Amino acid sequence: MKAPKFEYVRAGSRQQALELLDQHGEDGRILAGGQSLMPTLNMRLSQPGTLIDINKIADLSGITLENNVVRIGAMTRHVEVANSPIIAEHLPLIAEAMEHVAHHAVRNRGTIGGSVALADPAAEMPACVLALGATLIVESVKGRREIAADDYFQGLYETARESNELLVEISVPIEKPDDVSVFLELAQRHGDFAMAGLACVARISNRTFEDLRLVYFGSEDKPTIATGAMAAVVGQTWSAACKEAAADALTNDLDPMTNLQGSSEMKLHLQKVLTGRALDAAIERAEAA
Ligand SMILES: Cc1cc2nc3c(=O)[nH]c(=O)nc-3n(C[C@H](O)[C@H](O)[C@H](O)COP(=O)(O)OP(=O)(O)OC[C@H]3O[C@@H](n4cnc5c(N)ncnc54)[C@H](O)[C@@H]3O)c2cc1C
C-alpha cells in the first residue's frame, strides 16, 4: 500500500518546528528517522495531515556529558548512540541494549528520540531510560518541561508528552561506579522487537543486593517497574531461594499482553527465566568489577 496524502514541511530550526506543531495540533506529526512512522503511513495505520521533518535541526543531535548527566539530543541516531564512547563508559546499560535495537539499516536512520517519543512497548530504549531514572525534556511554543521517566510512559504508545510538544533531549544520570547493569531480551531473530526483556541496574556487595531496579518490556503495554520482584531481592544474599522468590513476585508485578509474539503465560514464563539470568549476570559482573 502507499501512504495517504500528506503535506510535508522541513523545519529549519527548533523554534520553527515548535510553531508548526502548535499550528497543526493533532494533525501534525514529527518526522524523525521515519523508521516507524513511514511504515505506519504506508500501512494506513495513521493519517496525519502534515509531516514536520526535524532532520535538519542540528541542535537536536549529539551526546554530551555535563555534571554526571549524559545529555542525548532527541535526533541522535541509534548508530551514534551505539558508537558513542560517552555512552560506553557512563551508560553501559544503553550500550548493551543498543545491540538489540533493530538492524543496521534501521539503526542508521532511527533516532533515540523517535523511539522514546513513540513508546513502543517492545522497544529497548524506553525500558533503559526508565531503569536509569532519566528525564525527558520536551518543548512547545509555551516553553520547556521536564518529565521524569517514571511519569512519562502511560500506556500503549501513550506518554505524558502533549501533541504540541517536541521531545528535544533525554537526560540520563550516569551509572554509579558501584552499580552494575544487565540488559537481556528474547526475540524471534536478533534485531527483531522483543518477545520479552528486561533492564536491570543493581548495587551488590558480597553477593547481597543493596539496591535494585528491574524494568520489563515486550510483555506489558508499557515498560514496567517490577516493585514486588525488587523487594523480594533487595537486602537478600543471592541464592536459589532468592531467585525463586523474585520469580514468584513477578507473577503479581506483570500481566503480559497476549499477542502475535505469544500468550500471556508464555511471556510471563520468559520474563521469569530472564530475571534469574539477569540477576546471575549482575552477581558475576559485581564480582568481576
Ligand atoms: C524492520 C524494523 C525493525 C525494528 N526493530 C526495532 C527494535 O528491535 N527495537 C526498537 O526499539 N525499534 C525497532 N524499530 C523501530 C526503530 O528503532 C525506529 O527508529 C524508532 O522506533 C523510531 O525512531 P525514528 O527516529 O525512526 O522515528 P519516526 O519513525 O520518525 O517517528 C516515530 C514516532 O515518534 C514521533 N517522534 C519522533 N521524534 C519525535 C520527537 N523528537 N518529538 C516528538 N515526537 C517525535 C513521530 O511523530 C512518530 O509518531 C524497527 C523498525 C523497523 C523498520
Side-chain angles (χ1 to χ4, degrees):
M1 264 212 274
K2 284 187 178 165
K5 283 193 174 168
F6 54 80
E7 298 292 321
Y8 168 89
V9 193
R10 178 182 285 166
S13 67
R14 196 189 280 216
Q15 184 57 30
Q16 192 193 357
L18 300 184
E19 284 164 10
L20 286 163
L21 268 178
D22 197 55
Q23 181 187 330
H24 291 285
E26 296 281 344
D27 204 35
R29 199 68 48 83
I30 293 294
L31 172 64
Q35 298 302 298
S36 296
L37 181 58
M38 296 319 291
T40 61
L41 293 185
N42 289 339
M43 289 186 276
R44 305 260 170 145
L45 295 172
S46 108
Q47 204 156 349
T50 303
L51 295 193
I52 303 163
D53 185 343
I54 57 170
N55 279 267
K56 293 289 178 199
I57 307 177
D59 67 355
L60 285 179
S61 292
I63 301 170
T64 54
L65 175 64
E66 278 170 42
N67 302 325
N68 291 337
V69 172
V70 179
R71 301 187 176 283
I72 313 174
M75 268 307 292
T76 309
R77 312 235 180 235
H78 296 316
V79 64
E80 296 169 71
V81 177
N83 293 335
S84 161
I86 294 178
I87 299 289
E89 182 177 350
H90 298 290
L91 298 173
L93 180 73
I94 290 186
E96 193 173 14
M98 264 299 162
E99 292 172 20
H100 298 272
V101 176
H103 314 279
H104 288 290
V106 174
R107 290 208 289 259
N108 286 341
R109 290 296 303 167
T111 65
I112 189 166
S115 183
V116 172
L118 183 64
D120 188 302
E124 292 80 4
M125 286 306 111
C128 287
V129 301
L130 185 55
L132 294 168
T135 301
L136 293 322
I137 319 271
V138 297
E139 284 180 6
S140 73
V141 287
K142 294 195 183 114
R144 190 175 167 94
R145 205 157 68 93
E146 297 191 355
I147 310 172
D150 281 45
D151 303 325
Y152 178 82
F153 299 102
Q154 298 193 337
L156 195 61
Y157 300 105
E158 266 181 38
T159 71
R161 184 180 59 82
E162 303 289 340
S163 60
N164 68 339
E165 287 177 323
L166 180 68
L167 176 64
V168 294
E169 183 184 293
I170 297 144
S171 295
V172 196
I174 62 171
E175 291 181 41
K176 297 185 185 80
D178 293 346
D179 285 357
V180 288
S181 58
V182 179
F183 185 93
L184 289 178
E185 82 169 50
L186 291 168
Q188 288 191 337
R189 291 176 310 178
H190 186 82
D192 283 358
F193 278 107
M195 300 159 72
L198 83 159
C200 160
V201 182
R203 190 166 340 113
I204 299 166
S205 176
N206 295 326
R207 296 180 66 82
T208 300
F209 282 85
E210 293 182 342
D211 201 5
L212 177 66
R213 189 137 159 121
L214 293 171
V215 175
Y216 291 80
F217 64 100
S219 58
E220 312 302 299
D221 63 355
K222 59 180 180 175
T224 303
I225 302 171
T227 49
M230 282 152 44
V233 175
V234 171
Q236 305 297 319
T237 302
W238 190 230
S239 64
C242 185
K243 188 184 278 191
E244 205 176 313
D248 285 349
L250 211 55
T251 307
N252 290 326
D253 288 328
L254 301 182
D255 182 15
M257 298 182 292
T258 293
N259 60 18
L260 289 174
Q261 300 264 35
S263 67
S264 177
E265 293 75 17
M266 186 194 81
K267 288 184 185 183
L268 182 60
H269 171 71
L270 295 179
Q271 297 289 32
K272 288 180 179 182
V273 172
L274 286 181
T275 304
R277 289 183 191 169
L279 297 176
D280 280 342
I283 292 284
E284 271 175 34
R285 289 178 188 189
E287 288 181 339

